[in-house]
């Protein structure tokens, strides 16, 4: 019999199943917007893509416009190029854009606004991660003589910047809201800034069904091994006790009689 403790066998076989480094949990698809902003002047170009690890096959870019029309890229708008859609924007292209699979799964949505005025607010198209730095820019159609701009949040003046841009070094939940900018050229449309929490890494390395199936495969063999080791250790202990009894037998069991 091997001199191995049952606990050491358990630690060597079952614990590694629970301590494999965890993989990252990633979304199935993400929507990419280039340039990364939500407001555009008429006749500017927009590139929207469905990005998936490996292949983007099976995903379609769709939109719902401000005129109430639902359609996919390449039908009556946009030019399909690989897994991207190139759009030469006009006012009727304003709407909500997203990626959708054949089974109905979809990405986060992006609200695109095409503005006919002289001023737009450049801000990230997708939700911003809490703690990140964000810069808002007041952009003008043409070259203004004065870049000074006022930035508003939920209708209240936040600050005035002579450079035409405002930076928030580390955004927090209190920074969520409707933003716009204005200057001597006019006002931009309002844009809502939304935030998302930083991505967290899951504690376990595998799904619960996979973990249980792995334990069910390995642990029956572990259980048999532990039972055999226990029986083996008991037999060794019994053998030692018997040897001690025989060695003591002449003096304790059979005293000399006169």
């Amino acid at each position: 019999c091997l001199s191995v403790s049952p606990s050491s066998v358990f630690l060597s076989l079952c614990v590694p199943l629970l301590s494999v480094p965890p993989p990252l949990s990633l979304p199935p698809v993400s929507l990419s917007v280039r340039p990364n902003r939500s407001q555009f002047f008429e006749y500017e170009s927009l590139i929207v893509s469905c990005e998936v690890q490996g292949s983007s096959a099976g995903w379609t870019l769709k939109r719902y416009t401000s005129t109430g029309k639902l359609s996919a890229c390449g039908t009556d708008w946009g030019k399909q190029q690989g897994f991207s859609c190139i759009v030469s924007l006009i006012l009727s292209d304003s709407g909500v854009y997203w990626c959708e699979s054949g089974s109905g799964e979809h990405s986060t949505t992006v609200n695109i606004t095409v503005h006919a005025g002289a001023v737009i607010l450049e801000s990230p198209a997708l939700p911003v991660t809490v703690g990140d730095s964000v810069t808002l820019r007041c952009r003008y159609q043409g070259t203004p003589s004065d870049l000074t701009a006022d930035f508003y949040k939920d209708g209240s003046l936040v600050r005035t910047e002579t450079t035409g841009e405002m930076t928030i070094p580390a955004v927090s939940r209190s920074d969520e809201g409707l933003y716009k900018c204005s200057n001597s050229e006019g006002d931009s449309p309002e844009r809502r800034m939304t935030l998302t929490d930083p991505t967290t890494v899951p504690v376990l390395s595998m799904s619960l069904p996979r973990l249980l199936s792995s334990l069910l495969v390995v642990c029956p063999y572990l259980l048999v091994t532990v039972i055999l080791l226990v029986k083996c250790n008991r037999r060794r202990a019994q053998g030692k006790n018997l040897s001690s009894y025989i060695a003591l037998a002449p003096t304790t069991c059979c005293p000399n009689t006169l």
Side-chain angles (χ1 to χ4, degrees):
C1 292
L2 296 176
S3 179
V4 181
S5 67
S7 60
S8 64
V9 175
F10 176 82
L11 291 173
S12 64
L13 291 179
C14 277
V15 171
L17 293 175
L18 303 173
S19 58
V20 179
L24 294 176
S25 177
L26 298 174
V29 64
S30 59
L31 184 66
S32 170
V33 178
R34 300 190 300 273
N36 182 21
R37 50 189 167 93
S38 60
Q39 295 183 10
F40 294 83
F41 291 118
E42 197 171 15
Y43 308 120
E44 286 190 308
S45 291
L46 166 69
I47 302 176
V48 190
S49 306
C50 298
E51 298 183 350
V52 185
Q53 281 193 336
S55 172
S56 297
W59 292 90
T60 303
L61 184 68
K62 294 187 176 183
R63 76 177 187 184
Y64 184 78
T65 65
S66 55
T67 58
K69 187 174 182 179
L70 173 65
S71 56
C73 175
T75 52
D76 57 349
W77 63 276
K79 180 181 178 182
Q80 192 77 38
Q81 191 173 78
F83 299 113
S84 299
C85 188
I86 303 174
V87 190
S88 296
L89 295 166
I90 57 176
L91 294 179
S92 60
D93 289 318
S94 294
V96 180
Y97 291 69
W98 71 92
C99 297
E100 187 173 309
S101 70
S103 58
E105 296 174 305
H106 58 82
S107 67
T108 55
T109 59
V110 169
N111 198 330
I112 299 296
T113 301
V114 184
H115 188 45
V119 181
I120 61 174
L121 177 67
E122 288 191 352
S123 62
L126 296 167
V128 181
T129 303
V130 171
D132 283 357
S133 175
V134 176
T135 298
L136 307 179
R137 294 182 179 87
C138 215
R139 186 160 172 254
Y140 318 101
Q141 198 168 31
T143 306
S145 57
D146 185 7
L147 294 176
T148 301
D150 297 324
F151 290 87
Y152 295 83
K153 175 179 176 286
D154 298 328
S156 299
L157 178 65
V158 177
R159 71 179 78 159
T160 300
E161 297 287 353
T162 57
T163 59
E165 60 181 47
M166 179 183 79
T167 298
I168 306 174
V171 293
S172 63
R173 288 293 178 184
S174 63
D175 294 313
E176 286 186 312
L178 284 172
Y179 287 81
K180 75 170 188 176
C181 68
S182 67
N183 77 337
S184 57
E185 303 291 324
D187 295 348
S188 75
E190 287 187 316
R191 162 64 179 170
R192 178 170 295 279
M193 181 191 294
T194 57
L195 302 182
T196 183
D197 292 322
T199 303
T200 56
V201 177
V203 175
L204 288 178
S205 62
M206 58 185 73
S207 64
L208 182 59
R210 184 179 173 187
L211 175 62
L212 291 176
S213 63
S214 299
L215 290 173
L216 288 174
V217 169
V218 174
C219 286
Y221 297 99
L222 172 64
L223 182 60
V224 172
T225 303
V226 170
I227 292 173
L228 291 175
L229 287 173
V230 170
K231 287 185 176 181
C232 179
N233 288 338
R234 285 180 178 176
R235 288 179 181 175
R236 293 184 63 190
Q238 289 174 356
K240 289 181 180 179
N241 292 337
L242 181 59
S243 299
S244 300
Y245 176 78
I246 294 173
L248 295 173
T251 57
T252 60
C253 295
C254 306
N256 294 326
T257 56
L258 296 177

